């Protein structure tokens, strides 16, 4: 089964059913049926063909959440085009690397344009859809194979260089079917979509499961604490996917509001970063729901989930999802005993085939058909997986991945900065935030460091603080021992 076969459960068989709604910039609420989405996505597909895009080509999208983003994704799925979603917080340095590596046919952007030049054709989304308006709304596209690539999702490795994970139609289909089964998602649900579509959490879990189930989705441009109560009250959802940062903000609401929201909800899901046990407990008390925590990656989509029926264990990501196999292994690749920490390795139809044009990275990522996640975890005697850190130094802040080396290399570009080490520090709102330890001349001001980072990095990657040290602790072979760096807390910030 390819993605279009899966989508047709709704696009064709529920053509007259309300599919999604959203608020326009003028404040009015708009709604489309699945038939409308089918028609418009076909028109967009014809527009792409008229611009010379064909199967196997890449299209980078640098877009805010919108119904057009979704229809473009469906159009690409129909044509066999690889969608390359890019975080809209990325700046020139980050965006430029992805474009250089993916070699896309074009970069599709919002009307705001780009604040920096890039060596790639930039197509405005509104112009593309204007062209599509007069084109046929019917299909005459070649059917795609289940193993054809559907998306190129960029994720970083320990080197800090972004790698493109090639996800196939079959990967997305397997993921959606597993989630709809495990989380009991049906056409009776009402899904409030607040996650960014450039992330696999919002696209691979949210959008694909919505189309697979045929439920009604309200699409938000972003999660906004100031308006989220109105969205819950007006839409009355049954299903919400979020990251820990969102749940922390939802806990700031008064008890009457949380009880009202909780009364109509069926399922809250959290992922992309660990959800503290204290947040689990507080959310249950406030909303009457135990947040269901799960575990996934760009390379695998979803791997594990706490059960819909049964114990949702705080601190654990639950058992493997249907169709997914997980082992915990030692450095020799041998299974360890339950309760023993080792590396999490995964196998299943959800797991990608490899990295884009990086055969060596692909080969090292797999051992006898099992994907090495780089995450450390342990397996309980009753099959629950608990993550215990990462082999790499990945920092997850508000659901976004931050790789320290990228920031370190940027800081070392500044004259007067001699050494740099970036680590993640616990934060109650974002889970973790980056803090930079520096060996630097006194003439290098913190404001200059911050300005340099702000110019070249997404906002979520900006170090919370710059800590000056006389020297970085190192092993005899020169490797920085980050665990030996002096502890830092927000109280250490000076004005």
């Amino acid at each position: 089964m390819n993605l279009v076969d899966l989508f047709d459960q709704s696009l064709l068989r529920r053509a007259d059913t309300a599919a999604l709604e959203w608020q326009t910039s003028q404040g009015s609420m708009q709604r489309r049926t699945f038939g409308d989405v089918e028609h418009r996505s076909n028109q967009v597909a014809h527009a792409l063909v008229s611009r010379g895009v064909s199967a196997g080509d890449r299209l980078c999208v640098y877009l805010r959440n919108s119904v057009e983003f979704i229809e473009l994704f469906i159009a690409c799925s129909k044509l066999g085009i690889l969608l390359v979603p890019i975080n809209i917080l990325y700046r020139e340095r980050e965006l430029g690397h992805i474009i250089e590596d993916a070699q896309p046919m074009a970069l599709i952007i919002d009307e705001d344009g780009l604040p920096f030049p890039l060596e790639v054709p930039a197509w405005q989304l509104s112009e593309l859809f204007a062209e599509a308006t007069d084109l046929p709304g019917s299909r005459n596209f070649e059917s795609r194979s289940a193993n054809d690539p559907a998306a190129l999702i960029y994720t970083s490795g320990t080197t800090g260089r972004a790698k493109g994970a090639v996800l196939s139609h079959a990967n997305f289909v397997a993921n959606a079917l597993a989630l709809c089964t495990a989380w009991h998602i049906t056409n009776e649900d009402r899904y409030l979509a607040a996650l960014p579509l450039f992330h696999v959490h919002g696209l691979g879990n949210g959008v694909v499961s919505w189309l697979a189930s045929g439920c009604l989705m309200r699409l938000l441009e972003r999660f906004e604490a100031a308006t989220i109560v109105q969205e819950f009250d007006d839409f009355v959802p049954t299903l919400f996917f979020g990251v820990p940062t969102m749940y922390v903000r939802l806990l700031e609401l008064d008890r009457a509001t949380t009880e009202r929201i909780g009364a109509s909800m069926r399922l809250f899901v959290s992922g992309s970063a660990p959800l503290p046990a204290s947040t689990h407990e507080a959310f249950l008390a406030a909303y009457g729901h135990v947040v269901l925590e799960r575990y996934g990656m760009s390379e695998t989509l979803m791997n594990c989930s706490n059960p819909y029926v049964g114990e949702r264990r705080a601190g654990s990501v639950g058992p493997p999802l249907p169709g997914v196999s997980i082992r915990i292994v030692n450095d020799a690749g041998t299974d360890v005993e339950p309760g023993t920490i080792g590396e999490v390795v995964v196998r299943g139809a959800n797991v990608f085939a490899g990295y884009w044009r990086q055969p060596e990275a692909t080969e090292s990522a797999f051992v006898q058909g099992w994907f090495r996640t780089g995450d450390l975890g342990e397996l309980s005697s009753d099959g629950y997986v608990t993550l215990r850190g990462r082999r790499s130094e990945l920092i997850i802040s508000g659901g976004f991945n931050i790789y320290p080396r990228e920031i370190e290399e940027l800081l070392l570009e500044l004259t007067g900065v001699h050494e740099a080490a970036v680590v993640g520090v616990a934060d109650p709102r974002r889970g973790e935030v980056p803090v930079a330890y520096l060996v630097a001349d006194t003439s290098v001001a913190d404001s200059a460091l911050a300005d340099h980072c702000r110019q070249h990095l997404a906002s979520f990657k900006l170090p919370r603080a710059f800590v000056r040290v006389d020297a970085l602790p190192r092993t005899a072979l020169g490797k920085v021992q980050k665990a030996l760096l002096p502890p830092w807390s927000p109280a250490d910030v000076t004005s």
Side-chain angles (χ1 to χ4, degrees), residues 454-486:
R454 196 173 294 113
Q455 289 173 12
H456 299 290
L457 296 173
S459 57
F460 64 86
K461 297 181 183 178
L462 301 180
R464 177 65 60 87
F466 300 96
V467 182
R468 310 301 181 102
V469 293
D470 295 331
L472 298 180
R474 295 180 181 271
T475 66
L477 296 178
K479 183 178 180 181
V480 176
Q481 295 178 290
K482 294 186 176 181
L484 300 181
L485 289 166

Side-chain angles (χ1 to χ4, degrees), residues 214-270:
C215 67
L216 178 63
M217 175 172 70
R218 174 175 287 194
L219 180 66
L220 308 184
E221 183 177 315
R222 68 178 68 87
F223 177 93
E224 292 185 289
T227 58
I228 195 63
V229 173
Q230 180 180 345
E231 300 290 356
F232 271 102
D233 284 344
D234 185 52
F235 185 58
V236 194
T238 62
L239 188 62
F240 182 81
F241 298 168
V243 298
T245 306
M246 295 179 183
Y247 289 108
V248 170
R249 299 306 301 269
L250 289 173
L251 284 174
E252 296 172 357
L253 304 178
D254 64 82
R255 180 54 62 90
T257 300
T258 63
E259 291 178 349
R260 184 174 69 251
I261 291 173
S264 60
M265 281 292 299
R266 182 179 68 80
L267 180 64
F268 291 96
V269 178
S270 180

Side-chain angles (χ1 to χ4, degrees), residues 190-206:
R190 298 170 66 86
Y191 169 48
L192 182 60
L195 291 164
L197 299 181
F198 58 71
H199 196 285
V200 289
H201 192 169
L203 188 69
N205 291 0

Side-chain angles (χ1 to χ4, degrees), residues 295 297 342-345 371-376 389-392:
Y295 163 53
M297 304 179 68
E343 183 175 9
V344 181
V345 295
F371 174 65
R372 300 181 59 186
T373 67
D375 290 316
L376 299 176
R390 294 171 291 277
R391 285 189 177 277
S392 69

